[in-house]
Amino acid sequence: MADLNLFGSEGFQAPVVSEETPPPLKQEEESAVAIPETRPMKKAKKKPRKRKRKKKYSGHEIFSFLFSAAIIALVIWFFVLRKEVIFNVSEYPPNAFELHRHANKG
Amino acid sequence: MLAISIRSGWLRYAHADVSDGTLVVNSLKATKLSKDFHRPDLRSPDLLVLLGIIFQDMIESLPVHDKEVFLSLDERWIDCQIFPVDKGLTRDEQESYLRWFLERRLGPLWPTSSVFFQELKSNGSDRDWIMTCIIPENALEALNIVLKRAGTVPVWLEPCTLSLARTVSGDEASVVFIKDGRSVRALFFFGGTIHAFGQPIIRNGIVSMDTITGDQGLVSTVISMINDIKPRSTKSPTVSIKFMGQLPGKWKGFVSSKKRYLQQINPLDSFILAKNEKLNVNDPSDFGEVAGLLHRRIM
C-alpha cells in the first residue's frame, strides 16, 4: 500500500512496513459497533399543552371579508340579475328629428 | 489521537484512544467549512490565520486534549498524481526525471513547492509507477506551526486519495466507486496497491472516465469489464467492484442494475466505538479518509 507522509522527508520515501495489520473484526466487536442502538431510550417528556388563544378578528380582516363579499355579490348581480334591468333608448331618425325640431320651434 | 480530514468543503474528524494496538473511537464529527475555506490561497501569509480558525475550534471542542494528529487533505491542498517511469532507470535517475518533468509542469510555482515520491508495487506492467504529491511549502509550514501551537504533535499528513485507498483496498484487483458530494471518485487497485484514480462519469448506463491519473491500461480494461457485465449474467467479473456511500444521480441506476456484482463498504465497520459516546454521524461513508487515518495509526 502506498504510504506517503508529507510531514516526513521530501523526495523519495520508502514504503512504510506495517508493524501490525489492522485487527480483524470479531463478533464481540461487532456488537460493540452496535452499541449506540442498544442505549436505553430516554422517555419523552410530556410537553405542557398550550392554551388555545381566542382569535380576535382585526379590522383589516373584517374589511377584507366585507370587500370580498361585496365583489362576489356584484358578480352574482351582473350575471344573474342584470336581465331584469331595462334599458330605454330613445332614438330619433333624421326625419323624426326634423319634426321634433319644428314642433319645439312652433 | 486525532484523525482529521478536509475534503470538498467539509471538515471531518475522529478522536480515538489507542492502547495495546487497539483503537477505540470516542467521537466522530463533521462540520461544513465556510466558503472562505473551500479554495484557500495556499501561498498566502494569511493561511496561518485561516488554519488557526479551522483547527482551534475543533481541538478545543474535543473532550480530551490529545497529542497526535493525523491529517488528510483533498486535491485543493495536495496535488497527487501517478506517473510512469522507465523500468531500467535507477532511483536517482527516476527522481531527476520526475523533478525535471514537474518543474516544467508547475512553472513559476516549482521553487515554492514541496515534492514527495513513492514507488508503487509493480503490477506486471513494462513501466514503473511513481506516486507524486506536491504541496506548497507555505501550506506545509503553516500546518506544522498551527498544529504545534494548538498543543498537538503533527504525525501524519497525506492526500485524501491515499487515506481512502487504505480504507477500501483489498488483496486483489479491484475498483471502488466512492461518493464525493454530487460526484463520484474511482480508485483502481492491483495486488492491493492503488495504481490509478480519477473521476468516472456515467452516460446511458455506460461508465467512462472523465479525469484519470495512473495506469490507463488497467483502467480501460477494468471499465470495459464493468460495462460488459449484463444485469442477468451468471458470470462473475474477474475484478471485484465495490462502492462506498449512496452514489448520486445516474449512479443509482448503475448500482441497482449491477448490485449482484457490487459490494458495499462501510469504512467504520472495523472500529470499536466507545460506549456512552455520542457519535454525530449522518452518513458513515463520509468518514472514509478518517477511517484510513485510524488504520494508519494502528498499522
Side-chain angles (χ1 to χ4, degrees):
Chain A
M1 190 66 236
D3 263 328
L4 262 170
N5 183 7
L6 276 60
F7 282 145
S9 58
E10 277 193 52
F12 256 100
Q13 284 186 7
V16 181
V17 181
S18 58
E19 293 160 9
E20 292 174 36
T21 51
L25 192 67
K26 292 174 188 173
Q27 197 61 38
E28 297 159 16
E29 292 170 357
E30 277 179 355
S31 63
V33 172
I35 280 166
E37 289 168 19
T38 57
R39 270 188 232 154
M41 293 282 283
K42 282 183 181 177
K43 282 182 182 179
K45 286 180 183 176
K46 282 184 180 178
K47 287 180 181 176
R49 284 184 181 177
K50 286 179 183 176
R51 284 184 182 177
K52 281 185 180 177
R53 284 193 300 176
K54 283 182 181 179
K55 281 184 179 178
K56 289 176 183 177
Y57 295 109
S58 65
H60 176 75
E61 284 171 329
I62 292 165
F63 171 77
S64 35
F65 174 75
L66 290 174
F67 187 69
S68 56
I71 290 170
I72 291 164
L74 278 171
V75 169
I76 291 167
W77 173 81
F78 184 76
F79 285 108
V80 180
L81 303 173
R82 78 182 174 119
K83 290 172 190 169
E84 294 171 16
V85 179
I86 298 158
F87 295 93
N88 289 322
V89 180
S90 51
E91 190 182 340
Y92 294 107
N95 56 346
F97 177 71
E98 284 295 316
L99 289 169
H100 176 74
R101 201 175 57 169
H102 288 299
N104 285 347
K105 275 183 181 177
Chain B
M1 70 160 299
L2 191 60
I4 306 167
S5 146
I6 297 177
R7 172 166 61 97
S8 306
W10 281 83
L11 174 76
R12 300 182 179 93
Y13 57 97
H15 173 246
D17 288 329
V18 187
S19 60
D20 303 330
T22 316
L23 191 141
V24 179
V25 180
N26 291 326
S27 64
L28 282 167
K29 281 179 186 168
T31 49
K32 189 152 181 65
L33 295 170
S34 77
K35 280 190 178 175
D36 302 339
F37 305 135
H38 285 198
R39 288 199 174 274
D41 182 0
L42 300 180
R43 288 178 165 79
S44 161
D46 298 337
L47 186 69
L48 203 64
V49 182
L50 197 73
L51 285 170
I53 296 166
I54 297 175
F55 290 126
Q56 198 61 43
D57 289 350
M58 178 185 55
I59 290 168
E60 281 175 3
S61 71
L62 285 170
V64 182
H65 206 68
D66 216 328
K67 293 284 181 192
E68 292 178 335
V69 172
F70 286 62
L71 191 58
S72 169
L73 300 174
D74 70 7
E75 55 282 340
R76 291 167 187 83
W77 298 74
I78 301 169
D79 176 37
C80 183
Q81 305 278 336
I82 298 171
F83 293 114
V85 289
D86 289 348
K87 262 201 161 149
L89 298 177
T90 63
R91 176 60 51 82
D92 289 341
E93 286 168 338
Q94 286 180 344
E95 186 165 350
S96 298
Y97 162 71
L98 286 167
R99 284 187 182 277
W100 171 83
F101 172 76
L102 292 172
E103 190 177 347
R104 266 137 200 85
R105 189 165 163 259
L106 287 170
L109 302 177
W110 171 252
T112 56
S113 300
S114 294
V115 192
F116 302 81
F117 308 106
Q118 192 165 86
E119 189 179 341
L120 301 176
K121 204 167 74 183
S122 177
N123 63 344
S125 116
D126 56 350
R127 288 178 292 182
D128 284 337
W129 295 92
I130 311 287
M131 174 160 280
T132 67
C133 290
I134 303 163
I135 184 169
E137 279 174 356
N138 180 56
L140 194 57
E141 203 179 318
L143 283 164
N144 259 308
I145 292 170
V146 166
L147 290 172
K148 281 175 183 167
R149 269 187 200 166
T152 59
V153 180
V155 175
W156 197 270
L157 170 66
E158 66 184 4
C160 71
T161 308
L162 289 186
S163 313
L164 287 170
R166 198 177 297 112
T167 303
V168 299
S169 69
D171 296 331
E172 73 281 27
S174 61
V175 56
V176 187
F177 297 103
I178 301 164
K179 184 197 90 171
D180 182 14
R182 289 179 187 172
S183 59
V184 172
R185 287 167 188 259
L187 272 55
F188 298 82
F189 296 88
F190 191 87
T193 302
I194 187 167
H195 275 275
F197 58 91
Q199 206 166 31
I201 50 170
I202 193 158
R203 280 199 192 112
N204 303 322
I206 305 292
V207 179
S208 60
M209 293 302 289
D210 191 21
T211 57
I212 184 173
T213 180
D215 190 345
Q216 298 201 11
L218 173 74
V219 173
S220 53
T221 307
V222 171
I223 291 292
S224 64
M225 226 176 253
I226 291 169
N227 286 325
D228 288 345
I229 298 171
K230 301 283 178 276
R232 290 180 187 174
S233 166
T234 50
K235 285 182 184 175
S236 54
T238 46
V239 292
S240 66
I241 311 162
K242 303 170 189 174
F243 70 102
M244 195 163 77
Q246 291 278 323
L247 302 189
K250 291 175 184 174
W251 288 95
K252 286 177 189 167
F254 170 79
V255 171
S256 63
S257 68
K258 298 187 179 179
K259 62 185 170 191
R260 286 178 61 183
Y261 312 100
L262 300 179
Q263 304 164 41
Q264 189 162 14
I265 299 172
N266 181 351
L268 301 177
D269 259 356
S270 53
F271 294 107
I272 304 168
L273 307 180
K275 293 175 185 176
N276 306 321
E277 285 295 337
K278 267 193 175 180
L279 299 175
N280 221 349
V281 180
N282 290 329
D283 185 355
S285 70
D286 288 334
F287 286 81
E289 297 93 335
V290 170
L293 292 171
L294 295 173
H295 276 304
R296 176 62 254 166
R297 175 61 185 82
I298 50 177
M299 278 171 86

